[in-house]
Amino acid sequence: MTLIAEVEAVSPFGWRSRWPEEYLLDLALEHGDWLSIHTEERWGGSIEGLAEVRRRMTRHGIDKPLVAKGIHRSDSALRQALAVADYALVVGRWPHGLEPDLQARLIFEPSYPGQVVLAISEFVSVSARPRLVLNRRDLDTGERSTDTPSPSLVKGLHRGNDPWVVQASFIETDADLDPVADAYLVGSNLVEFLEARGLGMAEVVG
């Protein structure tokens, strides 16, 4: 399974990390297979911050996929994100106005279970393998969602196209991982998750 290490220092639900953002970024760069950076202001993110991380990766020769993590309510916001990142998350809508080559670089997070089938059908026209995030957190309340479909269910709906399924939220140890998922995204619990694996402080990449 692929670890998407997310740099998350604050959330709109009143949570704030006790770790400095620079420390979280060092850990993510060191231990993540992929890197996720917020572009959403409510999570302390911005396009400028995303671009700075890209420059830092380039400066130090770090070649890992970079994900722009945000809701991205407009196609313009997605174009900005994809001008910097390798992939961009889009939540709850399919951007029909976006160019097909950019649509092929999206990771879709459904707002409700019924959108899973829609997302897979839309993805098929632009990419051989749909990429989906199954977020177990309700983005309106911050609480655990009760209707997030399981990776097994989503893969059962693929209709000949094997989705790349990302499990997200409420992951603290390996025991929380669904073995059916292809990847898992860890943000607010990144330090604790890595410590549970016996991984300590990353080398600081300034």
Side-chain angles (χ1 to χ4, degrees):
M1 295 173 72
T2 297
L3 169 59
I4 304 176
E6 180 169 285
V7 179
E8 183 175 355
V10 299
S11 84
F13 312 113
W15 175 86
R16 181 176 295 273
S17 176
R18 61 193 179 95
W19 305 99
E21 189 168 357
E22 281 296 305
Y23 176 65
L24 297 174
L25 178 56
D26 289 335
L27 284 175
L29 288 169
E30 178 74 15
H31 298 296
D33 300 306
W34 290 35
L35 186 68
S36 172
I37 299 295
H38 279 280
T39 58
E40 192 79 13
E41 184 177 353
R42 294 193 304 152
W43 277 266
S46 66
I47 291 293
E48 293 76 14
L50 176 72
E52 176 54 37
V53 170
R54 172 61 89 188
R55 287 190 290 270
R56 183 167 172 173
M57 293 173 69
T58 300
R59 189 164 61 244
H60 292 279
I62 298 172
D63 185 20
K64 296 181 178 184
L66 177 62
V67 179
K69 176 80 178 296
I71 296 174
H72 298 124
R73 295 175 178 82
S74 70
D75 291 355
S76 174
L78 281 170
R79 289 189 184 93
Q80 284 185 299
L82 289 168
V84 179
D86 300 290
Y87 300 94
L89 188 75
V90 61
V91 178
R93 70 180 188 92
W94 187 263
H96 290 100
L98 204 65
E99 295 78 4
D101 61 318
L102 297 184
Q103 289 185 40
R105 293 163 55 198
L106 298 178
I107 303 175
F108 185 84
E109 181 178 318
S111 293
Y112 55 89
Q115 281 192 325
V116 172
V117 175
L118 171 65
I120 291 175
S121 64
E122 294 285 3
F123 242 116
V124 166
S125 66
V126 295
S127 174
R129 193 176 195 193
R131 291 180 290 272
L132 301 170
V133 167
L134 303 180
N135 192 348
R136 296 182 295 176
R137 188 182 305 279
D138 187 312
L139 294 183
D140 292 324
T141 66
E143 301 299 321
R144 187 185 290 267
S145 174
T146 59
D147 62 357
T148 303
S150 69
S152 298
L153 175 62
V154 171
K155 285 181 173 291
L157 297 172
H158 64 76
R159 298 181 181 180
N161 293 274
D162 181 25
W164 192 70
V165 176
V166 181
Q167 176 187 347
S169 294
F170 302 102
I171 299 174
E172 297 183 18
T173 70
D174 283 347
D176 298 316
L177 301 178
D178 187 324
V180 176
D182 300 285
Y184 48 102
L185 189 151
V186 184
S188 58
N189 296 316
L190 181 62
V191 174
E192 294 78 6
F193 181 81
L194 293 175
E195 285 181 344
R197 289 186 159 190
L199 300 174
M201 171 61 182
E203 178 183 352
V204 176
V205 181

Short mmCIF file of all heavy atoms in Angstrom, two decimals, residues 154-181:
data_model
loop_
_atom_site.label_atom_id
_atom_site.label_comp_id
_atom_site.label_asym_id
_atom_site.label_seq_id
_atom_site.Cartn_x
_atom_site.Cartn_y
_atom_site.Cartn_z
N VAL A 154 -16.37 -0.31 -3.28
CA VAL A 154 -16.00 0.51 -4.43
C VAL A 154 -15.33 -0.33 -5.51
O VAL A 154 -15.63 -0.19 -6.70
CB VAL A 154 -15.09 1.67 -3.99
CG1 VAL A 154 -14.51 2.40 -5.21
CG2 VAL A 154 -15.87 2.64 -3.11
N LYS A 155 -14.44 -1.21 -5.12
CA LYS A 155 -13.78 -2.04 -6.11
C LYS A 155 -14.76 -3.01 -6.78
O LYS A 155 -14.57 -3.39 -7.93
CB LYS A 155 -12.61 -2.79 -5.46
CG LYS A 155 -11.40 -1.90 -5.21
CD LYS A 155 -10.26 -2.65 -4.60
CE LYS A 155 -9.02 -1.78 -4.51
NZ LYS A 155 -8.43 -1.48 -5.84
N GLY A 156 -15.83 -3.34 -6.07
CA GLY A 156 -16.84 -4.20 -6.66
C GLY A 156 -17.69 -3.50 -7.70
O GLY A 156 -18.40 -4.14 -8.47
N LEU A 157 -17.60 -2.17 -7.76
CA LEU A 157 -18.38 -1.39 -8.72
C LEU A 157 -17.57 -0.98 -9.94
O LEU A 157 -18.04 -0.19 -10.76
CB LEU A 157 -18.90 -0.11 -8.04
CG LEU A 157 -19.86 -0.30 -6.86
CD1 LEU A 157 -20.11 1.06 -6.18
CD2 LEU A 157 -21.18 -0.89 -7.32
N HIS A 158 -16.35 -1.49 -10.08
CA HIS A 158 -15.44 -0.92 -11.06
C HIS A 158 -15.82 -1.19 -12.50
O HIS A 158 -15.40 -0.46 -13.40
CB HIS A 158 -14.01 -1.39 -10.81
CG HIS A 158 -13.78 -2.85 -10.97
ND1 HIS A 158 -13.70 -3.47 -12.20
CD2 HIS A 158 -13.61 -3.83 -10.05
CE1 HIS A 158 -13.48 -4.75 -12.04
NE2 HIS A 158 -13.42 -5.02 -10.75
N ARG A 159 -16.59 -2.23 -12.77
CA ARG A 159 -17.08 -2.51 -14.13
C ARG A 159 -15.94 -2.57 -15.14
O ARG A 159 -15.97 -1.95 -16.20
CB ARG A 159 -18.11 -1.45 -14.56
CG ARG A 159 -19.34 -1.41 -13.68
CD ARG A 159 -20.35 -0.39 -14.14
NE ARG A 159 -21.51 -0.35 -13.27
CZ ARG A 159 -22.54 0.46 -13.43
NH1 ARG A 159 -22.57 1.31 -14.45
NH2 ARG A 159 -23.56 0.45 -12.59
N GLY A 160 -14.90 -3.30 -14.79
CA GLY A 160 -13.80 -3.50 -15.72
C GLY A 160 -12.67 -2.51 -15.57
O GLY A 160 -11.63 -2.66 -16.22
N ASN A 161 -12.83 -1.47 -14.73
CA ASN A 161 -11.77 -0.51 -14.49
C ASN A 161 -11.44 -0.53 -13.01
O ASN A 161 -12.23 -0.10 -12.18
CB ASN A 161 -12.21 0.90 -14.91
CG ASN A 161 -12.40 1.01 -16.40
OD1 ASN A 161 -11.47 1.25 -17.15
ND2 ASN A 161 -13.63 0.78 -16.84
N ASP A 162 -10.28 -1.06 -12.68
CA ASP A 162 -9.89 -1.24 -11.29
C ASP A 162 -9.57 0.10 -10.65
O ASP A 162 -8.55 0.72 -10.96
CB ASP A 162 -8.66 -2.16 -11.22
CG ASP A 162 -8.21 -2.40 -9.80
OD1 ASP A 162 -9.04 -2.28 -8.88
OD2 ASP A 162 -7.02 -2.71 -9.60
N PRO A 163 -10.42 0.61 -9.76
CA PRO A 163 -10.14 1.91 -9.15
C PRO A 163 -8.94 1.86 -8.22
O PRO A 163 -8.68 0.84 -7.57
CB PRO A 163 -11.43 2.21 -8.34
CG PRO A 163 -12.45 1.23 -8.84
CD PRO A 163 -11.69 0.04 -9.31
N TRP A 164 -8.22 2.97 -8.18
CA TRP A 164 -7.14 3.15 -7.21
C TRP A 164 -7.77 3.85 -6.02
O TRP A 164 -8.14 5.01 -6.09
CB TRP A 164 -6.03 4.00 -7.82
CG TRP A 164 -4.75 4.03 -7.05
CD1 TRP A 164 -3.86 3.03 -6.88
CD2 TRP A 164 -4.21 5.17 -6.35
NE1 TRP A 164 -2.79 3.45 -6.12
CE2 TRP A 164 -2.97 4.75 -5.79
CE3 TRP A 164 -4.64 6.48 -6.15
CZ2 TRP A 164 -2.17 5.62 -5.04
CZ3 TRP A 164 -3.85 7.34 -5.41
CH2 TRP A 164 -2.63 6.90 -4.86
N VAL A 165 -7.95 3.11 -4.93
CA VAL A 165 -8.76 3.57 -3.80
C VAL A 165 -7.87 4.00 -2.64
O VAL A 165 -7.01 3.24 -2.19
CB VAL A 165 -9.73 2.46 -3.35
CG1 VAL A 165 -10.50 2.90 -2.12
CG2 VAL A 165 -10.70 2.13 -4.49
N VAL A 166 -8.10 5.22 -2.17
CA VAL A 166 -7.34 5.79 -1.06
C VAL A 166 -8.23 5.85 0.18
O VAL A 166 -9.31 6.44 0.14
CB VAL A 166 -6.84 7.21 -1.40
CG1 VAL A 166 -6.02 7.77 -0.24
CG2 VAL A 166 -6.03 7.21 -2.69
N GLN A 167 -7.78 5.25 1.26
CA GLN A 167 -8.47 5.34 2.55
C GLN A 167 -7.95 6.57 3.28
O GLN A 167 -6.74 6.80 3.35
CB GLN A 167 -8.20 4.08 3.37
CG GLN A 167 -8.79 4.10 4.77
CD GLN A 167 -8.33 2.90 5.59
OE1 GLN A 167 -7.78 1.94 5.07
NE2 GLN A 167 -8.55 2.96 6.90
N ALA A 168 -8.86 7.37 3.85
CA ALA A 168 -8.43 8.60 4.51
C ALA A 168 -9.20 8.84 5.80
O ALA A 168 -10.36 8.46 5.93
CB ALA A 168 -8.62 9.79 3.57
N SER A 169 -8.52 9.48 6.76
CA SER A 169 -9.05 9.94 8.05
C SER A 169 -9.17 8.81 9.07
O SER A 169 -9.46 7.66 8.73
CB SER A 169 -10.40 10.64 7.89
OG SER A 169 -10.25 11.84 7.15
N PHE A 170 -8.93 9.21 10.33
CA PHE A 170 -9.03 8.31 11.49
C PHE A 170 -8.06 7.12 11.37
O PHE A 170 -8.40 5.99 11.73
CB PHE A 170 -10.47 7.83 11.70
CG PHE A 170 -11.44 8.97 11.91
CD1 PHE A 170 -12.26 9.40 10.87
CD2 PHE A 170 -11.50 9.63 13.12
CE1 PHE A 170 -13.14 10.46 11.06
CE2 PHE A 170 -12.38 10.70 13.31
CZ PHE A 170 -13.20 11.11 12.28
N ILE A 171 -6.88 7.39 10.83
CA ILE A 171 -5.84 6.36 10.74
C ILE A 171 -4.74 6.72 11.74
O ILE A 171 -4.08 7.75 11.59
CB ILE A 171 -5.25 6.28 9.32
CG1 ILE A 171 -6.34 5.91 8.30
CG2 ILE A 171 -4.11 5.26 9.28
CD1 ILE A 171 -5.88 5.96 6.86
N GLU A 172 -4.57 5.88 12.74
CA GLU A 172 -3.56 6.13 13.77
C GLU A 172 -2.47 5.06 13.79
O GLU A 172 -1.32 5.35 14.11
CB GLU A 172 -4.22 6.22 15.14
CG GLU A 172 -5.20 7.40 15.27
CD GLU A 172 -5.77 7.52 16.67
OE1 GLU A 172 -5.20 6.94 17.61
OE2 GLU A 172 -6.80 8.19 16.82
N THR A 173 -2.83 3.83 13.47
CA THR A 173 -1.86 2.73 13.43
C THR A 173 -2.18 1.84 12.24
O THR A 173 -3.23 1.99 11.58
CB THR A 173 -1.91 1.88 14.72
OG1 THR A 173 -3.13 1.13 14.74
CG2 THR A 173 -1.82 2.75 15.97
N ASP A 174 -1.30 0.86 12.00
CA ASP A 174 -1.55 -0.09 10.91
C ASP A 174 -2.84 -0.86 11.11
O ASP A 174 -3.44 -1.33 10.14
CB ASP A 174 -0.38 -1.07 10.81
CG ASP A 174 0.85 -0.45 10.13
OD1 ASP A 174 0.71 0.63 9.54
OD2 ASP A 174 1.93 -1.06 10.21
N ALA A 175 -3.29 -0.98 12.35
CA ALA A 175 -4.52 -1.72 12.63
C ALA A 175 -5.74 -1.03 12.03
O ALA A 175 -6.79 -1.66 11.85
CB ALA A 175 -4.71 -1.89 14.14
N ASP A 176 -5.63 0.26 11.73
CA ASP A 176 -6.75 1.00 11.16
C ASP A 176 -6.82 0.90 9.64
O ASP A 176 -7.77 1.40 9.03
CB ASP A 176 -6.64 2.49 11.54
CG ASP A 176 -6.71 2.71 13.03
OD1 ASP A 176 -7.57 2.09 13.68
OD2 ASP A 176 -5.89 3.49 13.55
N LEU A 177 -5.85 0.27 9.02
CA LEU A 177 -5.79 0.21 7.56
C LEU A 177 -6.67 -0.90 7.01
O LEU A 177 -6.69 -2.01 7.54
CB LEU A 177 -4.35 -0.01 7.10
CG LEU A 177 -3.33 1.05 7.52
CD1 LEU A 177 -1.94 0.67 7.02
CD2 LEU A 177 -3.73 2.42 7.00
N ASP A 178 -7.39 -0.58 5.95
CA ASP A 178 -8.17 -1.58 5.23
C ASP A 178 -7.25 -2.21 4.18
O ASP A 178 -6.78 -1.51 3.27
CB ASP A 178 -9.37 -0.92 4.56
CG ASP A 178 -10.32 -1.91 3.93
OD1 ASP A 178 -9.85 -2.94 3.40
OD2 ASP A 178 -11.54 -1.67 3.96
N PRO A 179 -6.97 -3.49 4.27
CA PRO A 179 -6.01 -4.11 3.34
C PRO A 179 -6.47 -4.11 1.89
O PRO A 179 -5.65 -4.35 0.99
CB PRO A 179 -5.88 -5.54 3.87
CG PRO A 179 -7.13 -5.79 4.65
CD PRO A 179 -7.50 -4.46 5.25
N VAL A 180 -7.74 -3.82 1.65
CA VAL A 180 -8.23 -3.79 0.28
C VAL A 180 -7.85 -2.48 -0.42
O VAL A 180 -7.74 -2.42 -1.65
CB VAL A 180 -9.76 -3.99 0.26
CG1 VAL A 180 -10.33 -3.87 -1.14
CG2 VAL A 180 -10.11 -5.35 0.84
N ALA A 181 -7.62 -1.42 0.35
CA ALA A 181 -7.27 -0.14 -0.23
C ALA A 181 -5.90 -0.21 -0.90
O ALA A 181 -5.04 -1.01 -0.53
CB ALA A 181 -7.27 0.94 0.85
#
